[in-house]
Amino acid sequence: MIYRLLQTEKSAPLFGEWQETMIWSCLQGIMGTIYADAPEKPASAMALLGDFCFFAGKPNKELVLYGPGRGGRKFLIMVPQNDKWAELIKVCYGERAKKVIRYAIKKEPDIFDQKALKDMVEELPDEYTLELMDESLFRKCKEIKWCRDWVSQYDTFDEYQKYGLGAVILKDGEMVSGASSYSGYRGGIEVQIDTREDFRRRGLAGICGARLILECLKRGWYPSWDAQNRQSVALAEKLGYHFEKEYAAYEVSL
């Protein structure tokens, strides 16, 4: 039997020192959910937030099969704690589980060169405007597929104001690039960054990212970055981050 943990700290030892902010969001009760095989002394646990789930502790087939049923999801990125969890994901989903390589970025709070970031923001061409996410932009993001993940984990703008932050570039009043918080935790956010396809390769993502980092630093927040591909790693490094390691995840179609 699988249980939703209300006392999430009971699962914390299973996740150990895993440096993943979405796990922290779940453990802190900010957003997302922890599921486990027992309510008091779990041996297996899953942190589920948005399109991501993280498996920790003793591999548990019931738990791996349980996550996709939450919220009618059609797609999940499953991140195993070790090879045994990875094998179980493959056993459970077969060809529906596509192995991908993601790229962890080091969490180093004091590395950012604020002058360099400010200079990058100043490079924005005059035909664009750069704004922080407000309620009007928040509502627009909810309605536009390509940028919905900037705000998708926040039910209301009040919640976003408390645990989120974003910087958006507009052209003729339309959003064309942005950096926002996919999720939030106490002390920081997980960065979600994208540019509309017809405005890519113009340096806009870097400018949004620079502004978002500067705003996070003003609040004393850490802007955590996890890269889906090498291009994302390169952008992170341009902004001052450092690459840490590759890791395996599984994109599961349901």
Side-chain angles (χ1 to χ4, degrees):
M1 188 170 181
I2 302 301
Y3 300 84
R4 176 177 178 174
L5 291 189
L6 299 180
Q7 294 177 294
T8 55
E9 68 278 4
K10 293 184 182 296
S11 68
L14 301 178
F15 293 100
E17 299 300 318
W18 200 338
Q19 295 291 296
E20 173 51 65
T21 70
M22 283 184 275
I23 294 174
W24 301 344
S25 297
C26 295
L27 289 174
Q28 293 171 4
I30 303 298
M31 55 178 58
T33 309
I34 300 287
Y35 295 97
D37 63 337
E40 292 298 326
K41 295 181 179 180
S44 310
M46 171 181 66
L48 178 64
L49 198 166
D51 290 331
F52 292 83
C53 64
F54 304 85
F55 296 105
K58 181 180 178 181
N60 183 303
K61 184 176 182 179
E62 186 179 6
L63 199 59
V64 171
L65 292 170
Y66 187 81
R70 307 308 96 201
R73 290 174 171 83
K74 300 298 182 183
F75 174 81
L76 266 178
I77 299 172
M78 297 185 172
V79 185
Q81 190 179 50
N82 51 46
D83 290 343
K84 291 183 178 180
W85 276 109
E87 288 300 318
L88 189 55
I89 291 170
K90 290 187 285 186
V91 167
C92 290
Y93 295 102
E95 293 183 356
R96 289 181 294 163
K98 176 187 175 184
K99 183 178 180 180
V100 296
I101 299 299
R102 295 182 65 90
Y103 305 88
I105 304 299
K106 290 181 180 179
K107 292 176 173 56
E108 302 171 292
D110 301 320
I111 59 157
F112 298 108
D113 183 338
Q114 294 194 44
K115 182 181 183 304
L117 293 172
K118 290 175 183 177
D119 289 344
M120 191 179 298
V121 172
E122 292 298 320
E123 294 174 1
L124 182 69
D126 292 339
E127 64 264 31
Y128 301 98
T129 58
L130 176 58
E131 300 180 9
L132 293 180
M133 186 78 73
D134 59 16
E135 187 166 7
S136 175
L137 293 172
F138 176 87
R139 294 187 182 281
K140 287 180 181 179
C141 287
K142 289 280 188 180
E143 299 171 356
I144 301 173
K145 184 177 181 179
W146 76 267
C147 61
R148 193 173 297 151
D149 277 346
W150 294 349
V151 300
S152 60
Q153 303 310 313
Y154 301 85
D155 291 332
T156 66
F157 183 66
D158 287 342
E159 184 183 5
Y160 183 85
Q161 281 187 304
K162 187 174 182 181
Y163 296 116
L165 188 62
V168 181
I169 290 177
L170 298 98
K171 176 77 162 57
D172 299 326
E174 293 188 6
M175 294 180 290
V176 296
S177 186
S180 184
S181 45
Y182 184 79
S183 55
Y185 64 100
R186 284 196 294 272
I189 62 171
E190 185 67 33
V191 176
Q192 174 74 24
I193 190 165
D194 201 1
T195 299
R196 207 172 79 185
E197 190 170 358
D198 53 335
F199 281 87
R200 291 176 181 170
R201 301 186 184 281
R202 304 187 191 186
L204 301 181
I207 292 171
C208 291
R211 180 65 188 278
L212 179 60
I213 292 169
L214 289 168
E215 293 298 324
C216 283
L217 297 178
K218 287 180 183 178
R219 296 191 184 193
W221 288 5
Y222 183 73
S224 175
W225 190 295
D226 186 84
Q228 181 182 8
N229 50 48
R230 287 289 186 182
Q231 291 81 5
S232 180
V233 174
L235 178 57
E237 292 177 335
K238 182 179 179 180
L239 292 166
Y241 295 92
H242 296 108
F243 172 72
E244 182 178 11
K245 63 181 179 179
E246 297 182 357
Y247 68 93
Y250 292 84
E251 295 180 349
V252 179
S253 300
L254 306 167

